[in-house]
Amino acid sequence: MENIKFSTAGKYTFVISLGVGTFLFLLFLITGNDLLLVYGFMYVIFAILVNVTVLVCELLVFLMDISERKDSGNSVLLLLANIPIAILYLLVIFNFY
């Protein structure tokens, strides 16, 4: 079986975005500090801009690459995985706080 490969930019963008978002989410759940909500929403806006930029770049590379390498295509799917995770975090915050 073949290992799934991701582009470096897509992989690091996903990991950093998910890590920082999860850290802020868990910190808010633990402390309940309202200031963390403000920081969290500002981070979400920033993360959307960065993720969309990297996503578009990866998608363009994927569509223009005619070789068998699908690193960029896998990275597009990885970056899209951030969307349902962020929605889940927002639903938890809106429904329980």
Side-chain angles (χ1 to χ4, degrees):
M1 184 165 204
E2 201 176 311
N3 288 338
I4 299 174
K5 297 183 182 186
F6 302 100
S7 71
T8 305
K11 180 172 51 175
Y12 286 130
T13 303
F14 171 78
V15 169
I16 292 170
S17 179
L18 180 67
V20 172
T22 301
F23 175 74
L24 287 171
F25 176 69
L26 291 176
L27 197 61
F28 172 73
L29 289 180
I30 292 169
T31 64
N33 188 350
D34 291 337
L35 188 59
L36 286 171
L37 276 179
V38 175
Y39 290 144
F41 285 120
M42 288 189 317
Y43 171 72
V44 167
I45 300 298
F46 175 74
I48 287 172
L49 293 173
V50 171
N51 279 311
V52 166
T53 303
V54 174
L55 179 77
V56 168
C57 291
E58 294 288 337
L59 190 58
L60 288 174
V61 169
F62 175 70
L63 294 175
M64 293 171 36
D65 187 12
I66 59 171
S67 69
E68 289 298 318
R69 290 185 34 213
K70 299 298 180 191
D71 301 356
S72 297
N74 292 336
S75 295
V76 167
L77 295 175
L78 189 64
L79 288 168
L80 287 174
N82 272 333
I83 297 170
I85 295 168
I87 291 171
L88 176 68
Y89 290 174
L90 288 173
L91 287 175
V92 168
I93 289 172
F94 288 153
N95 287 326
F96 294 110
Y97 288 99

